[in-house]
C-alpha cells in the first residue's frame, strides 16, 4: 500500500519534469519547472524541487529498510515458537476430526488480525474470508457473530457488520505471546459468547512469502454429542472410554475449552508470523521502489542541471557574438 | 489440470475471473469428505475467493487400526511450547488421570482421560523416563497411538525439593487465610500441585 502511494505521488510530481517528449527537454524544463523564478527575471533554472524530492525519497528508503530489518528479527523470534506449537492442535484434529461444513444454529467467527498496519494484504484476506464464512452460514434461524482480535479487522468489519460484533480485543502483542495470556482470553470469549461452533480465521505461515488463509472449527460439547450420534467423522467418539470427571458431558466441556485455547494459541502465533513476514516483504518492495524512484529522479536532476548550464552558455556566447558582429 | 476442469468451468461462468491458478507443490492431493462438502458449499456462495484451508490439510493422516495388537505404543507428548516426544515407540506409559494412575499398553481400548498434576512415566525396554505434568488431556486411539497434551512438563530430576517445600507451606498458609471463594480455589490448586510435586519427589 505504501509503495503504491509512493508510485502514484512520484508520477504526479515527476510528470512535469519527466516529459513524454524527451527530444526537447529544454523547452519543457523552461516551461514547467520554476515558472515563478522566470517571472522574477532569474535565468537559471533551479534544481531545488528535484533535490528536495530526492531527499525525502532517500529518507523513506532508509525507514523502510530499517522496518524490514526489525520485522525480520521479530519473525525469527516468533517463528521458532510457532513451529514448536504446531504439534498442539494435531491430537485434537486426530480425535475429533475436521468439520468445517457442520451445520449449526449459532456460529461465532473469531477473526485474528494485527494491530499495526503496513503488513501487506493479510488483514484484508482474513476479513474477506470472515465475511465469506458469515455469508455461508447465515440463513433463517441461524445466526452468525464476530469476535475480533486486532485493530485492523475491527476497523474493516465495524463498517458494515457493526451489529454482529460481539467482542473485540486489541493490543494483544504488547507482551510476547504466551499460553497463559491466550488461555485467559479464550476463557473470556467462552464465558461471554453463546456458541454452537467457533470458527477461527487466521493466516497460516507457510514461508516468508506465502501465507495461507485457514479456518479451524471448534464445536461445543452439545454439538459434539449430536454429531457423534449422527455418525460420520465423530461417530467413533462413542467408542472412546471416558476417564475422569463424573459425567461424560463434564469431560467433554473441559475438552472443548482446552481445545479452543490450544487452537487459539497456535492460530495467534501463526498469524503473528504471517504479519511479520508480510511486513518484511511489503517493506522490501517499498525500499526497492524508492530506489527506482531515486534513480529516475537522479536522471531528471542531471538533465535539468545540464540544461541550465547549456542555457547559460548559449546566452553568454550569443551575447558575445552580438557584441562582435 | 484435468482435475481443475469443473472448477475452471465454474469460475468461467461466474462473473469475476480468478485468472490462471498455478498448481502449488504444497497442495495435498486428497481432500477428506468434510472438506469437499465445505469447499462445494463455499464455491456456491462465494465463487470469487478461494476457500480457506482447514487443519486436516496440514496434518499427515493417522495410521488405521491394525487387525492385530502391535508390539509398541506410539507416544506424542506435546506442550504449547514444544513437542517433547513425537512418534516415539515405547512399551508402556503410565498417565496421572484424575481417577488415578492409568497404565497404557499397546492395544489399549480407545480412551479420553483428563489428567491431574502428577508423574508421567514412559517405559521403553529397561529405561524409565519420568516427567511431572501440570495437567491436561490424554487420548489413546484404537490404533495404539497415545497423544498426551499438557501445559507444562518437566523431567523429575530438574525439580528442586526446597522450593517445593516452601511453595507447599506458602499455599497452605494462603488456604487457611483465604476469605473469598476465588482465593480459596487458587490456594487449593496451589496446595494440590505442590503436594503432587512432593509425592513425585519422594515416591
Amino acid at each position: 500500500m505504501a509503495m503504491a502511494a509512493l508510485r502514484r505521488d512520484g508520477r504526479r510530481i515527476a510528470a512535469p519534469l519527466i516529459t513524454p517528449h524527451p527530444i526537447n527537454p529544454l523547452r519543457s524544463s523552461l516551461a514547467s519547472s520554476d515558472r515563478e523564478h522566470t517571472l522574477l527575471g532569474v535565468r537559471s533554472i533551479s534544481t531545488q524541487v528535484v533535490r528536495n524530492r530526492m531527499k525525502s525519497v532517500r529518507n523513506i528508503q532508509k525507514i523502510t529498510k530499517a522496518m524490514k530489518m526489525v520485522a525480520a528479527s521479530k519473525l525469527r523470534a516468533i517463528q521458532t515458537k510457532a513451529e514448536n506449537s504446531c504439534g498442539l492442535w494435531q491430537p485434537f484434529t486426530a480425535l475429533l476430526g475436521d468439520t468445517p461444513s457442520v451445520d449449526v444454529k449459532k456460529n461465532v467467527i473469531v477473526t485474528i488480525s494485527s494491530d499495526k498496519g503496513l503488513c501487506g494484504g493479510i488483514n484484508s484476506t482474513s476479513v474477506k474470508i470472515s465475511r465469506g464464512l458469515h455469508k455461508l452460514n447465515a440463513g433463517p434461524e441461524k445466526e452468525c457473530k464476530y469476535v475480533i482480535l486486532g485493530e485492523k479487522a475491527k476497523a474493516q468489519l465495524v463498517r458494515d457488520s457493526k451489529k454482529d460484533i460481539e467482542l473485540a480485543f486489541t493490543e494483544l502483542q504488547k507482551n510476547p505471546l504466551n499460553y497463559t495470556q491466550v488461555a485467559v482470553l479464550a476463557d473470556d470469549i467462552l464465558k461471554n459468547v453463546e456458541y454452537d461452533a467457533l470458527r477461527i480465521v487466521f493466516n497460516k505461515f507457510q514461508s516468508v512469502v506465502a501465507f495461507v488463509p485457514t479456518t479451524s472449527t471448534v464445536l461445543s460439547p452439545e454439538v459434539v454429542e449430536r454429531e457423534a450420534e449422527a455418525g460420520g467423522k465423530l461417530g467413533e467418539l462413542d467408542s472412546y472410554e471416558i476417564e475422569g470427571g463424573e459425567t461424560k458431558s463434564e469431560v467433554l466441556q473441559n475438552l472443548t475449552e482446552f481445545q479452543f485455547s490450544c487452537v487459539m494459541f497456535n492460530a495467534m502465533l501463526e498469524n503473528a508470523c504471517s504479519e511479520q513476514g508480510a511486513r518484511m516483504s511489503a517493506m522490501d518492495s517499498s525500499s526497492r521502489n524508492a530506489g527506482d524512484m531515486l534513480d529516475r529522479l537522479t536522471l531528471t536532476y542531471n538533465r535539468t542541471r545540464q540544461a541550465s548550464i547549456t542555457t547559460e552558455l548559449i546566452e553568454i556566447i550569443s551575447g558575445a557574438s552580438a557584441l562582435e558582429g | 489440470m484435468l482435475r481443475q476442469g469443473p472448477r475452471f468451468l465454474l469460475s468461467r461462468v461466474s462473473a469475476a475471473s480468478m485468472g490462471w491458478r498455478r498448481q502449488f507443490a504444497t497442495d495435498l492431493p486428497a481432500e477428506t469428505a468434510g472438506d469437499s462438502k465445505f469447499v462445494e458449499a463455499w464455491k456456491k456462495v462465494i465463487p470469487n475467493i478461494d476457500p480457506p484451508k482447514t487443519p486436516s490439510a496440514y496434518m499427515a493422516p493417522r495410521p488405521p487400526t491394525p487387525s492385530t495388537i502391535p508390539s509398541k505404543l506410539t507416544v506424542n507428548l506435546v506442550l504449547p511450547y514444544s513437542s517433547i516426544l513425537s512418534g516415539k515407540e515405547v512399551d508402556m506409559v503410565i498417565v496421572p488421570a484424575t481417577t488415578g494412575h492409568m497404565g497404557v499398553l499397546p492395544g489399549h481400548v480407545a480412551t479420553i482421560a483428563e489428567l491431574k498434576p502428577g508423574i508421567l512415566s514412559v517405559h521403553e525396554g529397561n529405561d524409565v523416563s519420568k516427567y511431572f505434568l501440570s495437567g491436561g488431556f490424554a487420548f489413546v486411539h484404537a490404533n495404539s497411538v497415545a497423544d498426551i497434551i499438557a501445559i507444562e512438563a518437566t523431567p523429575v530430576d530438574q525439580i528442586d525439593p526446597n522450593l517445593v517445600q516452601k511453595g507447599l507451606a506458602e499455599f497452605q498458609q494462603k488456604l487457611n487465610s483465604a476469605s473469598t471463594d476465588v482465593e480459596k480455589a487458587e490456594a487449593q490448586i496451589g496446595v494440590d500441585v505442590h503436594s503432587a510435586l512432593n509425592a513425585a519427589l519422594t515416591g
Side-chain angles (χ1 to χ4, degrees):
Chain A
M1 295 264 280
M3 59 187 220
L6 271 173
R7 214 186 294 141
R8 247 184 295 127
D9 268 350
R11 231 182 265 140
R12 229 187 294 136
I13 299 213
L17 303 168
I18 302 171
T19 84
H21 307 289
I23 42 174
N24 42 6
L26 251 162
R27 190 180 318 165
S28 55
S29 29
L30 269 175
S32 47
S33 66
D34 296 30
R35 296 168 205 264
E36 58 271 24
H37 284 251
T38 52
L39 282 173
L40 295 169
V42 174
R43 292 305 194 104
S44 70
I45 296 151
S46 167
T47 50
Q48 194 60 34
V49 173
V50 186
R51 243 183 306 164
N52 284 342
R53 188 82 195 137
M54 276 168 71
K55 195 165 77 166
S56 65
V57 171
R58 210 174 289 128
N59 283 339
I60 289 180
Q61 191 181 34
K62 280 191 212 159
I63 292 172
T64 52
K65 266 203 192 133
M67 282 182 77
K68 177 186 165 196
M69 295 290 127
V70 167
S73 70
K74 284 195 182 161
L75 175 68
R76 249 196 314 265
I78 209 167
Q79 195 173 355
T80 37
K81 265 191 177 176
E83 273 169 11
N84 286 337
S85 83
C86 75
L88 197 57
W89 53 268
Q90 287 183 0
F92 293 107
T93 315
L95 180 75
L96 296 168
D98 190 26
T99 50
S101 54
V102 69
D103 195 17
V104 291
K105 288 220 174 45
K106 299 203 189 110
N107 287 293
V108 176
I109 302 180
V110 182
T111 313
I112 305 185
S113 68
S114 64
D115 282 332
K116 305 209 183 109
L118 292 181
C119 51
I122 53 167
N123 292 324
S124 309
T125 324
S126 289
V127 169
K128 260 194 287 189
I129 301 282
S130 306
R131 288 209 183 112
L133 279 175
H134 184 102
K135 207 163 143 195
L136 196 64
N137 287 310
E141 290 183 12
K142 286 206 281 194
E143 61 174 63
C144 201
K145 297 252 171 224
Y146 290 107
V147 169
I148 305 179
L149 278 72
E151 220 15 274
K152 293 286 151 188
K154 183 167 137 193
Q156 289 191 29
L157 282 172
V158 99
R159 251 185 274 149
D160 59 356
S161 319
K162 191 158 179 192
K163 57 179 175 42
D164 281 333
I165 300 179
E166 275 290 336
L167 293 169
F169 297 94
T170 52
E171 295 200 10
L172 292 160
Q173 299 232 24
K174 252 203 292 203
N175 309 318
L177 277 173
N178 62 353
Y179 183 73
T180 326
Q181 176 193 21
V182 177
V184 169
L185 187 71
D187 200 29
D188 237 348
I189 297 178
L190 288 173
K191 266 204 273 261
N192 292 327
V193 172
E194 279 182 17
Y195 67 98
D196 282 334
L198 289 149
R199 294 171 200 274
I200 306 172
V201 176
F202 62 103
N203 291 80
K204 193 162 171 73
F205 182 78
Q206 250 178 11
S207 79
V208 181
V209 292
F211 324 106
V212 183
T214 314
T215 173
S216 307
T217 318
V218 174
L219 304 170
S220 77
E222 296 93 19
V223 177
V224 169
E225 290 206 37
R226 192 189 77 189
E227 292 283 317
E229 281 163 33
K233 273 212 205 138
L234 290 173
E236 296 168 10
L237 196 61
D238 273 338
S239 64
Y240 282 76
E241 293 239 345
I242 312 280
E243 292 266 345
E246 277 118 34
T247 59
K248 182 171 170 186
S249 52
E250 198 183 302
V251 172
L252 277 183
Q253 170 88 9
N254 288 344
L255 186 66
T256 304
E257 295 180 0
F258 192 45
Q259 181 190 9
F260 182 52
S261 68
C262 288
V263 173
M264 274 288 280
F265 183 62
N266 180 252
M268 285 178 74
L269 280 176
E270 296 268 350
N271 204 56
C273 281
S274 307
E275 178 198 337
Q276 300 298 344
R279 186 166 296 133
M280 240 179 84
S281 57
M283 292 295 108
D284 183 46
S285 42
S286 177
S287 331
R288 210 175 309 129
N289 212 41
D292 286 345
M293 255 181 83
L294 211 53
D295 288 340
R296 279 205 312 267
L297 284 172
T298 312
L299 286 175
T300 316
Y301 174 72
N302 285 331
R303 257 208 306 261
T304 323
R305 189 178 51 87
Q306 287 160 0
S308 76
I309 293 172
T310 316
T311 320
E312 278 206 51
L313 281 173
I314 289 179
E315 285 175 2
I316 294 169
I317 294 174
S318 50
S321 67
L323 281 174
E324 283 176 24
Chain B
M1 274 315 267
L2 268 163
R3 192 156 54 81
Q4 300 279 53
R7 265 197 242 167
F8 222 61
L9 285 172
L10 205 66
S11 71
R12 192 102 47 93
V13 165
S14 68
S17 70
M18 287 194 312
W20 173 60
R21 182 177 172 268
R22 214 156 30 103
Q23 192 79 343
F24 292 118
T26 50
D27 263 357
L28 292 174
E31 283 181 354
T32 57
D35 287 345
S36 49
K37 203 167 138 206
F38 175 65
V39 168
E40 293 306 323
W42 177 278
K43 291 257 179 231
K44 265 194 277 201
V45 184
I46 309 122
N48 304 342
I49 312 176
D50 272 339
K53 289 250 173 345
T54 48
S56 49
Y58 300 115
M59 226 177 88
R62 289 292 176 95
T65 313
S67 45
T68 60
I69 298 177
S71 59
K72 293 267 196 188
L73 183 70
T74 320
V75 169
N76 298 322
L77 172 62
V78 284
L79 309 179
Y81 303 109
S82 64
S83 306
I84 299 193
L85 304 169
S86 85
K88 190 151 182 233
E89 305 251 330
V90 298
D91 294 321
M92 177 171 84
V93 288
I94 303 183
V95 292
T98 42
T99 49
H101 280 80
M102 187 174 86
V104 181
L105 290 154
H108 195 279
V109 68
T111 313
I112 302 177
E114 209 177 319
L115 304 176
K116 65 169 190 233
I119 301 200
L120 169 83
S121 33
V122 179
H123 298 254
E124 185 180 352
N126 290 328
D127 306 318
V128 178
S129 17
K130 294 195 181 176
Y131 299 92
F132 184 80
L133 298 181
S134 67
F137 266 87
F139 307 144
V140 183
H141 302 275
N143 51 6
S144 291
V145 175
D147 292 315
I148 305 168
I149 312 154
I151 311 292
E152 293 277 355
T154 34
V156 168
D157 43 10
Q158 288 180 9
I159 303 179
D160 182 359
N162 299 332
L163 287 176
V164 173
Q165 298 294 0
K166 253 196 333 189
L168 185 60
E170 193 188 314
F171 275 101
Q172 262 170 352
Q173 199 200 21
K174 267 198 211 159
L175 184 61
N176 293 335
S177 65
S179 46
T180 65
D181 275 338
V182 177
E183 280 181 36
K184 267 202 204 122
E186 285 180 12
Q188 186 67 49
I189 294 173
V191 167
D192 283 341
V193 173
H194 281 83
S195 346
L197 271 168
N198 218 358
L201 286 173
T202 52

